[in-house]
Amino acid sequence: MPDEDDIDLDELKRQTSHGDRIDSDADNDAQQELKEAIVDELERIDEGEEQKTVSIWDAPAAAYIRALAEHPEQRDKIGESLRRQLDVDAEGSIEQSEFVRLALRLGLRQADSDKFALVGEAVRDRALEGL
């Protein structure tokens, strides 16, 4: 049975093999294309060509969000957890729009944190454009 050092060496060999570099380059290209698409969408939103809003068709989620609106102390508790997990520095009661926005962002980040990080990069790139 190989010891832990052998496994690390095998993993290193796998990562540095020719095929992995090609795969890595393709993944980097795909990531860059996605980031550029996000920047393009941000531009379209800023120019008024697209709305900032998104909508979903989900009865259980809608019922949950509406029920929490009737129980703001519970929504605030969940909202504080969302803020904490996303490192959002805010205090006080959470409005429905922020609640839904943070819940969506947290879900997207948990699904694929690397791709979600592209959103932040795209926002930074967009903000630095023209400086």
Side-chain angles (χ1 to χ4, degrees):
M1 178 183 264
D3 65 16
E4 193 173 307
D5 291 334
D6 291 337
I7 294 170
D8 291 341
L9 183 58
D10 290 342
E11 178 65 17
L12 182 60
K13 286 179 185 176
R14 186 190 67 72
Q15 290 175 358
T16 58
S17 71
H18 182 68
D20 286 336
R21 276 190 239 121
I22 291 172
D23 292 345
S24 179
D25 288 345
D27 187 48
N28 288 339
D29 290 345
Q31 296 266 64
Q32 185 62 32
E33 287 177 17
L34 179 58
K35 186 171 99 172
E36 289 172 7
I38 296 167
V39 169
D40 290 345
E41 288 300 319
L42 287 168
E43 289 174 3
R44 291 171 54 84
I45 290 168
D46 287 346
E47 293 169 3
E49 296 174 18
E50 291 290 342
Q51 294 184 5
K52 293 180 184 182
T53 60
V54 295
S55 59
I56 60 170
W57 188 270
D58 187 319
Y64 181 57
I65 291 165
R66 287 188 191 122
L68 285 172
E70 296 174 15
H71 297 87
E73 68 287 344
Q74 292 182 41
R75 182 177 66 192
D76 287 347
K77 185 175 179 182
I78 297 166
E80 283 305 312
S81 176
L82 290 168
R83 286 172 174 165
R84 189 174 46 257
Q85 291 181 64
L86 289 167
D87 296 321
V88 173
D89 189 27
E91 292 182 17
S93 186
I94 188 166
E95 298 296 320
Q96 182 170 306
S97 177
E98 180 187 6
F99 181 88
V100 173
R101 183 175 62 250
L102 295 178
L104 178 61
R105 288 180 183 181
L106 182 59
L108 292 171
R109 186 182 79 177
Q110 287 181 339
D112 191 325
S113 61
D114 291 338
K115 285 189 180 54
F116 184 74
L118 294 174
V119 175
E121 291 177 24
V123 168
R124 280 189 295 280
D125 288 357
R126 179 81 175 116
L128 295 174
E129 244 176 45
L131 289 180

